[in-house]
Amino acid sequence: MDVYALKNYIIEKPEYIKQILEETGFFKVYDRGDEYRCAREAGRNPTSVKVNKQTLSAFCFSTNLNGDLITLIRDKLGLSFPKTIQRIAKIIGFREDDFVEIEAPKTPFGGFYKKLRKISNPQNLDIETYNDEILDRYESKPNLLFYQDGISLFAQRVFNVGYDCVTGRITVPWKSFSGELCGVMGRLNKKQINEGETKWLPIIPFPKSKTLYGFVENYDAIREKGIVMIGLTP
């Protein structure tokens, strides 16, 4: 599910914010112009939670949460990121087919020059996703090679780094923008890569151009800072 399509859908119909808040356990939800206000718990301050209609940015004074509607609901219900997305979509009956994207501008000369080269539009690709249980086939343990490269044991646990005994590669799961497992990359478990060897290979192939590694794990910080710094491994 496209998380941005879902958010834009809600922004276009801000009355859904009230419905989402009420059905996920918030109280005394009321319209206050550019935002909705409510209480996180029954009998508490009815202005302690606010959600902006135009951006879906959210703040909860009682928990000091500074995020958006998604992180607000995730924190309230204690769900994972993908489960939160699914819950919100179910409440408002959202389907990606209901969201119509703006038509791309027409190219000059009928797109003649565009036809001279092969065009690949990754946005038209569907991403196959998998249950997290598929990772049980790999050994779930941190890797010394990554640790020596500065990737802490904590970070390796957060990103579910493991090891595939069949291929002899370190396993690095990748997730879609909605937080669902969509593939696994494998890194040779040695520093010196010989000629003819490939350092990284997909163990479970997926369209990398349709993903951004670490997006879900860093969603809160990305939303708060409004910036993403992308680097490549050597």
Side-chain angles (χ1 to χ4, degrees), residues 159-176:
F159 287 87
N160 291 317
V161 172
Y163 184 74
D164 181 21
C165 296
V166 176
T167 63
R169 291 178 177 270
I170 304 167
T171 55
V172 181
W174 283 58
K175 297 179 180 179
S176 66

Side-chain angles (χ1 to χ4, degrees), residues 18 23 53 55 66 68 110 121 144 173 192 197 226 231-232:
K18 184 175 188 292
E23 294 195 26
K53 293 181 181 179
T55 64
N66 184 11
D68 63 2
N121 182 9
L144 179 60
Q192 188 65 39
E197 292 182 322
L232 297 176

Side-chain angles (χ1 to χ4, degrees), residues 68-191:
D68 63 2
L69 181 62
I70 294 174
T71 57
L72 180 70
I73 303 303
R74 185 191 63 188
D75 179 71
K76 171 69 172 177
L77 301 181
L79 299 175
S80 65
F81 188 87
K83 291 293 185 182
T84 303
I85 298 296
Q86 294 168 12
R87 180 67 178 275
I88 292 174
K90 184 177 181 180
I91 290 174
I92 62 176
F94 171 78
R95 299 177 304 172
E96 290 190 67
D97 294 341
D98 295 334
F99 185 78
V100 180
E101 295 184 353
I102 299 175
E103 183 179 356
K106 295 182 179 180
T107 54
F109 306 106
F112 173 77
Y113 293 106
K114 192 174 182 180
K115 296 176 183 178
L116 296 180
R117 60 186 177 87
K118 184 178 180 181
I119 301 298
S120 175
N121 182 9
Q123 299 303 319
N124 292 332
L125 297 176
D126 291 327
I127 297 183
E128 183 177 1
T129 58
Y130 307 89
N131 191 297
D132 285 347
E133 292 179 357
I134 200 172
L135 298 178
D136 292 342
R137 66 178 65 173
Y138 312 120
E139 293 187 40
S140 179
K141 61 182 181 181
N143 181 269
L144 179 60
L145 180 64
F146 277 12
Y147 180 76
Q148 292 173 340
D149 283 342
I151 303 175
S152 69
L153 301 181
F154 173 77
Q156 293 189 49
R157 293 191 187 98
V158 170
F159 287 87
N160 291 317
V161 172
Y163 184 74
D164 181 21
C165 296
V166 176
T167 63
R169 291 178 177 270
I170 304 167
T171 55
V172 181
W174 283 58
K175 297 179 180 179
S176 66
F177 282 110
S178 60
E180 298 170 294
L181 178 68
C182 64
V184 176
M185 289 297 294
R187 202 271 192 203
L188 276 179
N189 189 27
K190 60 180 183 178
K191 282 185 176 293

Side-chain angles (χ1 to χ4, degrees), residues 66 71 74 215-228:
N66 184 11
T71 57
R74 185 191 63 188
F215 172 79
V216 173
E217 292 82 359
N218 294 284
Y219 180 83
D220 292 10
I222 293 173
R223 197 224 61 81
E224 180 181 352
K225 302 298 182 181
I227 186 173
V228 177

